Amino acid sequence: NVPNLDLEDHERICTLIALLVREGVICQAHDISTGGLGVAIVEAAIARSAKPIGVELEILPTRQQKNLRREVLMFGETPGRFIVSCKPEQEQQLKNLSKEYGITIAAQGEVKGREIKIKGLCECSIAANTARRIWGSGLNHVFSVAEEE
């Protein structure tokens, strides 16, 4: 099924993201679009520098997420969702502004380590370096296609 798009919610989240950037509350924002949450987490972890970073993320049992199948939760391309990161001292301000704008925080975690670990409603982990290699080569490793040098 094609995901529903609530234009009022979408406008509210985009307004909030712009405010968070302007106010310096967040360090990074990445939309969850092609490939869903799973791909967006990997892209955010590998995009910042030459060395991928680790992430520990807990997917929270929100009302909207509790009944979703794991593959929909991880790879659904519902519009109007973002991954944001902030410094620990900005976390409460991020939560307060999200609540003020009526935006549900559906997952939370930390940037740390060398693995991308997801827990909560869906559990999985992969080394950040492995995720970068797989993301960069597409399905070549599945079909045993040699990488071009």
Side-chain angles (χ1 to χ4, degrees):
N1 294 335
V2 175
N4 293 329
L5 175 60
D6 182 324
L7 291 175
E8 289 177 7
D9 281 350
H10 193 71
E11 179 181 22
R12 208 168 45 251
I13 186 75
C14 290
T15 300
L16 174 62
I17 294 294
L19 173 67
L20 295 170
V21 170
R22 256 191 333 273
E23 297 290 321
V25 175
I26 57 176
C27 304
Q28 178 183 20
H30 190 292
D31 70 308
I32 298 175
S33 56
T34 305
L37 177 63
V39 171
I41 291 169
V42 170
E43 289 176 345
I46 68 175
R48 298 275 321 232
S49 65
K51 186 176 181 182
I53 57 175
V55 176
E56 288 190 14
L57 185 73
E58 180 177 7
I59 299 175
L60 304 172
T62 65
R63 185 172 42 93
Q64 298 93 340
Q65 296 184 145
K66 278 198 276 192
N67 297 320
L68 292 177
R69 294 187 328 265
R70 285 180 12 174
E71 64 273 15
V72 173
L73 188 60
M74 289 301 296
F75 303 107
E77 298 177 346
T78 305
R81 298 184 306 153
F82 292 83
I83 297 172
V84 299
S85 63
C86 67
K87 294 180 180 171
E89 59 269 19
Q90 302 290 82
E91 183 177 355
Q92 194 57 52
Q93 186 178 7
L94 172 63
K95 288 180 178 181
N96 292 344
L97 286 168
S98 296
K99 186 174 183 177
E100 183 180 320
Y101 276 75
I103 303 303
T104 301
I105 295 176
Q108 59 187 27
E110 293 182 74
V111 174
K112 68 179 195 177
R114 295 183 177 161
E115 282 188 287
I116 299 168
K117 294 181 184 179
I118 300 171
K119 58 185 181 177
L121 292 178
C122 184
E123 307 242 346
C124 59
S125 68
I126 187 170
N129 283 332
T130 302
R132 169 178 257 161
R133 182 176 45 79
I134 291 170
W135 185 87
S137 67
L139 295 175
N140 289 345
H141 67 286
V142 173
F143 298 111
S144 300
V145 174
E147 303 272 332
E148 291 185 24
E149 296 290 324

